[in-house]
Amino acid sequence: LTEPAPSEHEVLPGKGERILFVDDEAPLARLGQRRLEGLGYRVTIATTCGQALAVFRADPYAFDLVLTDYTMPDRSGLELATELVRLRPDLPVVLTTGHVEEFAESELRAAGIREVLMKPVLLEDLAAATGAVLTILAPAAGAVVAMTVVLALVVVLLVLRRLEHRP
């Protein structure tokens, strides 16, 4: 992560969303944590894929987003994302990489990758990608809540109707 250059990009601040930040370089992981917490996110760091999986398995719904490096010692960030999405299919993942190789879009989609950021990652790019991914998810979460409320009301109406028709 490097300091941002002045730009006109909008930075979307966090609202307490929970991020699992995975990077095998501990200083970069701590820097990413500080930067994202400064933007209003709650961040847990892991420095190996194994550690990230253990933290995630303990509570798969404890995180709103996973941000992982591609190059890790125990497996790739793409493999990590695939394993995490297998545990929770709706999980969004942002992948960071210093490699210029192309990733197949189908492979990224299957792994739950919503964004790929090239290293070095500017703070403004990290903030924009994180904010955009979480903003895209917010309406879907709202729709789920609305649908749940509608279904609860339908159940209540059905129960009331049955009570009306009792002798």
Side-chain angles (χ1 to χ4, degrees):
L1 302 176
T2 59
E3 290 298 322
S7 94
E8 297 177 12
H9 293 295
E10 177 184 355
V11 174
L12 303 171
K15 296 177 179 71
E17 294 95 334
R18 301 150 307 169
I19 297 174
L20 177 57
F21 190 98
V22 187
D23 196 304
D24 63 312
E25 296 183 53
L28 286 180
R30 288 190 300 275
L31 178 61
Q33 180 181 32
R34 281 194 309 273
R35 300 285 192 206
L36 288 166
E37 286 175 347
L39 291 169
Y41 299 104
R42 291 181 286 158
V43 182
T44 300
I45 59 173
T47 54
T48 67
C49 292
Q51 183 185 27
L53 276 167
V55 168
F56 190 82
R57 281 186 180 124
D59 186 359
Y61 289 91
F63 300 100
D64 300 304
L65 173 73
V66 173
L67 203 148
T68 184
D69 187 18
Y70 175 74
T71 305
M72 302 286 289
D74 51 339
R75 65 187 66 120
S76 76
L78 200 57
E79 292 168 323
L80 171 64
T82 300
E83 292 182 52
L84 295 174
V85 168
R86 200 173 293 133
L87 295 169
R88 192 176 130 206
D90 66 325
L91 179 71
V93 180
V94 173
L95 184 72
T96 63
T97 182
H99 296 278
V100 292
E101 65 194 52
E102 288 289 319
F103 297 99
E105 190 169 329
S106 60
E107 186 179 23
L108 293 174
R109 196 171 323 125
I113 306 293
R114 306 288 171 92
E115 291 278 343
V116 176
L117 297 174
M118 294 302 295
K119 286 185 169 185
V121 178
L122 296 174
L123 176 60
E124 67 183 13
D125 294 337
L126 179 63
T130 303
V133 167
L134 291 169
T135 300
I136 288 168
L137 296 175
V144 169
V145 170
M147 185 59 83
T148 303
V149 169
V150 168
L151 289 173
L153 289 173
V154 168
V155 169
V156 167
L157 290 173
L158 290 172
V159 168
L160 289 174
R161 218 177 218 182
R162 280 189 174 223
L163 290 175
E164 279 181 1
H165 294 354
R166 281 191 159 178

